[in-house]
Amino acid sequence: MENKFDFSAAIKELEEISLWFQNEEIDLDEGLAKFKKGAALIKKCRQHLKEVENQFFEVKKEVEEEKSNK
Amino acid sequence: MDKNNSQNLFTILRNLRNKIASQSRIKPFMVLHNKVLKEIADKKPSSPEELSKIKGMGQKKISQYGSILLETVKNFSSSSFSINNQEKIFSVGEYINFLNSILTPQRVVIKGEIGKISGRDNYFFFTLRDKNEEAILSCFIWKKTLDNFGVALKEGIEIKVEGYPEIFKRRGSLNFKVEHISLLGEGFLKQAFEALKKKLATSGFFSIERKKTVNKYVRRVGLITSNFSDAKDDFLTHLGKFGFKIYFHDVRVEGLYAVEDIVSAIRYFNENLSDTQVLVLTRGGGSLESLQAYNSEAIAKAIFSSRIPVVTGIGHENDETIADLVADIRASTPTDAARVISDPWRNARILLSQYKDSLVNNFFSRYQRTKDKILSVENFFNSLFKKYSQQLESIITDFFQNSISWLKFLQKKLDQVEQMLKLTDPKLRLQQGYSIVFNRVGKVIKNVSQLKIGELINLKFYRGGALSKVEKINGK
């Protein structure tokens, strides 16, 4: 599931939303929907980054354990 | 008389046996033992049956040597029978044969000085002079024998010869047939040495290109020296324990038979023990005279043509022999020869531990490098994560700023609109004195055409209102 998450696409979408807010749109409902969407993307991006980082250090730890067992 | 008789026959038989042995290149005892010869001399068998009764004369020996033994016995008997018979009249040839049968067994070693020399292509005559009194002996030698012993005949040089006397039938003269010859006296030996050295050098015997390579790590070693000699002990003591297999071949290392022994030993290894990896030719130190065998052409040729490489360790440190020059590797002494053979094994131990160290060092330095590389990759990833998360955070910050400022923008817009609305508020007009006219259904009347006379209309003021009736309509 996490694999399907496209980090760079998410970032791009977040930036687009951010830009939308700079245009002088006044559709409040749309604004709210976009804000909610943006918040969800932020959450997912942070989660994903954390996960990748965790995995990285896990792999590193495995490698180090293997080394010290030899 | 009979005892003398047997003794003479024994000597003849022994010479015959030795000749057969040297022709077949085997040891004399392998042909026939002295004990057997003695019995033959005593019993004088005249038929194969009688011969077979002698202990040690098996079927094989009889088939190999039977006929020549019987012939020798017969010849001897007929001649010795003749001497006992005073009536017998010899022919000249018979008499010389008879004399030779007595003379030829008289094998001796004689020393003397060379006098006159004459000769043909393949043999020489020379006289041997006594140094102390007037006495000469004429000698005969095959050229091949001379070459083998590396001696060049020259008037005045002192030599030692071994052989036997024989009367030459056609001349009636006594000659000493020389079978072994060697030089006496350092001066002559040195001269002979230099001459042979020059000759062999010209023939390429010493050239480096012709030298065989000795395997660095040899196991099967052929040792050619004298048994119970210091040289043998020194060699074996200094060889060390590296799993060598020593094939020892006993030879005489000096004297008239040394050349023959050593040459046949080298040949023996090449023919019968060809898996020998190196031959070691060694003997202890001694005078130039005692090392003479190793300065012979025959040994030089044997070393040169040996397929098995030869290492020499002859004499003391500074002794140089022809054998040394021809050898594939020249060690200075028996001990040094042992070192030449065993040093590679000895060094291998040191090399091995060096290899081990460098192996470990190389491994660790590579390990360290790899570790550093991993560390740098790790750092790279760490910074990558940092970068990603910074990027993300700045986007997030932008997002919130934008959305908040958007909300503020909306608020402002709303305020503007409100302000605008405030300006158009009808209440404000009513306050100013304007009134609004609605019809009965609450619709604002903006035009008289919407009115009818007598219609009831509602008036709205700033405060309160009034119901009115249209009485008159003006304009259109």
Side-chain angles (χ1 to χ4, degrees), chain B residues 30-217:
Chain B
M30 291 164 85
V31 179
L32 284 170
H33 276 283
N34 281 352
K35 228 173 109 186
V36 180
L37 296 178
K38 204 143 221 157
E39 208 176 328
I40 295 172
D42 286 343
K43 299 200 169 147
K44 301 189 178 60
S46 57
S47 66
E49 288 73 40
E50 283 177 46
L51 191 61
S52 69
K53 282 176 190 153
I54 286 163
K55 212 177 156 192
M57 284 305 299
Q59 228 16 73
K60 202 179 161 198
K61 296 281 184 202
I62 289 174
S63 72
Q64 276 177 304
Y65 314 119
S67 59
I68 189 153
L69 285 171
L70 289 170
E71 201 189 315
T72 309
V73 173
K74 193 181 150 206
N75 283 343
F76 179 81
S77 300
S78 67
S79 58
S80 52
F81 169 75
S82 308
I83 199 170
N84 292 332
N85 190 346
Q86 297 287 329
E87 303 296 310
K88 161 92 179 174
I89 298 173
F90 288 95
S91 71
V92 174
E94 274 174 348
Y95 183 60
I96 292 176
N97 279 348
F98 165 66
L99 286 179
N100 278 340
S101 74
I102 298 167
L103 285 173
T104 53
Q106 311 306 319
R107 183 174 277 276
V108 286
V109 178
I110 308 168
K111 70 168 182 178
E113 218 176 64
I114 294 178
K116 274 196 193 126
I117 307 160
S118 63
R120 292 272 177 90
D121 290 342
N122 54 354
Y123 63 85
F124 292 100
F125 287 101
F126 62 91
T127 54
L128 199 61
R129 291 194 300 242
D130 197 307
K131 268 179 94 178
N132 303 316
E133 60 173 309
E134 262 192 60
I136 61 163
L137 180 69
S138 38
C139 299
F140 170 88
I141 191 166
W142 293 104
K143 185 174 184 292
K144 208 178 80 190
T145 313
L146 265 183
D147 289 345
N148 271 347
F149 291 95
V151 175
L153 293 179
K154 205 173 158 193
E155 197 174 334
I157 62 171
E158 212 180 335
I159 57 167
K160 190 167 75 177
V161 294
E162 184 182 328
Y164 56 89
E166 193 180 31
I167 297 168
F168 279 16
K169 248 187 210 173
R170 278 159 61 183
R171 290 192 185 203
S173 61
L174 183 107
N175 281 287
F176 189 79
K177 273 189 107 168
V178 178
E179 288 188 333
H180 294 90
I181 182 168
S182 64
L183 294 170
L184 281 175
E186 298 270 310
F188 298 131
L189 288 171
K190 268 184 192 139
Q191 262 179 26
F193 173 81
E194 292 305 332
L196 183 60
K197 186 175 166 183
K198 204 171 155 189
K199 181 183 162 191
L200 293 177
T202 316
S203 312
F205 272 62
F206 310 145
S207 73
I208 289 161
E209 307 87 72
R210 296 294 302 264
K211 297 212 184 284
K212 297 170 281 289
T213 40
V214 178
N215 251 346
K216 202 168 176 191
Y217 301 106

Side-chain angles (χ1 to χ4, degrees), chain A residues 24-26 28, chain B residues 404-421:
Chain A
E24 302 198 332
E25 297 281 345
I26 53 164
L28 195 54
Chain B
I404 286 166
S405 57
W406 178 70
L407 277 177
K408 278 182 183 157
F409 153 76
L410 279 189
Q411 194 65 52
K412 226 167 105 188
K413 190 108 187 163
L414 220 57
D415 286 351
Q416 279 172 4
V417 172
E418 192 186 12
Q419 209 57 45
M420 248 160 60
L421 280 178

Side-chain angles (χ1 to χ4, degrees), chain B residues 113-365:
Chain B
E113 218 176 64
I114 294 178
K116 274 196 193 126
I117 307 160
S118 63
R120 292 272 177 90
D121 290 342
N122 54 354
Y123 63 85
F124 292 100
F125 287 101
F126 62 91
T127 54
L128 199 61
R129 291 194 300 242
D130 197 307
K131 268 179 94 178
N132 303 316
E133 60 173 309
E134 262 192 60
I136 61 163
L137 180 69
S138 38
C139 299
F140 170 88
I141 191 166
W142 293 104
K143 185 174 184 292
K144 208 178 80 190
T145 313
L146 265 183
D147 289 345
N148 271 347
F149 291 95
V151 175
L153 293 179
K154 205 173 158 193
E155 197 174 334
I157 62 171
E158 212 180 335
I159 57 167
K160 190 167 75 177
V161 294
E162 184 182 328
Y164 56 89
E166 193 180 31
I167 297 168
F168 279 16
K169 248 187 210 173
R170 278 159 61 183
R171 290 192 185 203
S173 61
L174 183 107
N175 281 287
F176 189 79
K177 273 189 107 168
V178 178
E179 288 188 333
H180 294 90
I181 182 168
S182 64
L183 294 170
L184 281 175
E186 298 270 310
F188 298 131
L189 288 171
K190 268 184 192 139
Q191 262 179 26
F193 173 81
E194 292 305 332
L196 183 60
K197 186 175 166 183
K198 204 171 155 189
K199 181 183 162 191
L200 293 177
T202 316
S203 312
F205 272 62
F206 310 145
S207 73
I208 289 161
E209 307 87 72
R210 296 294 302 264
K211 297 212 184 284
K212 297 170 281 289
T213 40
V214 178
N215 251 346
K216 202 168 176 191
Y217 301 106
V218 295
R219 286 220 181 262
R220 292 179 298 280
V221 179
L223 178 59
I224 301 174
T225 189
S226 165
N227 207 358
F228 308 115
S229 65
D230 288 347
K232 186 188 171 195
D233 288 347
D234 282 351
F235 179 80
L236 293 177
T237 309
H238 289 94
L239 201 54
K241 291 191 166 54
F242 296 100
F244 291 111
K245 186 157 173 54
I246 308 290
Y247 302 110
F248 173 66
H249 197 297
D250 186 21
V251 293
R252 280 165 282 192
V253 293
E254 65 177 275
L256 293 170
Y257 291 96
V259 172
E260 215 168 282
D261 274 9
I262 293 165
V263 168
S264 68
I266 294 173
R267 198 173 289 138
Y268 177 79
F269 276 111
N270 275 282
E271 283 168 7
N272 302 310
L273 284 169
S274 55
D275 71 331
T276 309
Q277 291 167 300
V278 66
L279 292 180
V280 176
L281 208 57
T282 187
R283 69 148 283 158
S287 63
L288 187 52
E289 201 182 318
S290 66
L291 297 178
Q292 209 188 333
Y294 297 91
N295 287 326
S296 69
E297 190 167 354
I299 288 184
K301 281 179 174 162
I303 294 173
F304 189 69
S305 56
S306 171
R307 282 191 307 277
I308 305 167
V310 176
V311 173
T312 53
I314 297 161
H316 294 303
E317 206 85 20
N318 297 321
D319 292 334
E320 183 190 55
T321 65
I322 296 290
D324 285 326
L325 295 169
V326 186
D328 301 299
I329 292 182
R330 177 203 172 170
S332 57
T333 59
T335 304
D336 189 39
R339 280 203 208 100
V340 165
I341 305 269
S342 58
D343 268 354
W345 293 99
R346 211 163 273 123
N347 293 338
R349 281 190 187 147
I350 301 162
L351 275 179
L352 222 57
S353 83
Q354 281 171 355
Y355 286 152
K356 196 190 88 192
D357 288 350
S358 73
L359 199 70
V360 170
N361 287 343
N362 283 346
F363 171 76
F364 274 111
S365 70

Side-chain angles (χ1 to χ4, degrees), chain A residues 7 11 14-15 17-18 20-28 31 35 38-39 42 45-46 49 52-53 56-57 60 67, chain B residues 367 371 374-375 377-378 381-382 385 388-393 395-396 398-400 402-407 409-410 413:
Chain A
F7 186 80
I11 293 284
L14 199 54
E15 281 174 325
I17 293 172
S18 196
W20 184 89
F21 283 116
Q22 285 181 315
N23 291 333
E24 302 198 332
E25 297 281 345
I26 53 164
D27 192 328
L28 195 54
F35 185 76
I42 287 167
C45 282
R46 276 184 174 150
L49 194 64
V52 171
E53 206 173 339
F56 179 83
F57 284 105
K60 186 191 151 209
K67 182 190 77 190
Chain B
Y367 168 74
K371 207 174 139 188
I374 288 173
L375 217 67
V377 169
E378 211 175 288
F381 272 106
N382 279 342
F385 283 130
Y388 271 131
S389 91
Q390 274 171 358
Q391 232 170 25
L392 184 62
E393 289 311 317
I395 288 166
I396 290 167
D398 279 359
F399 170 78
F400 282 119
N402 285 348
S403 54
I404 286 166
S405 57
W406 178 70
L407 277 177
F409 153 76
L410 279 189
K413 190 108 187 163

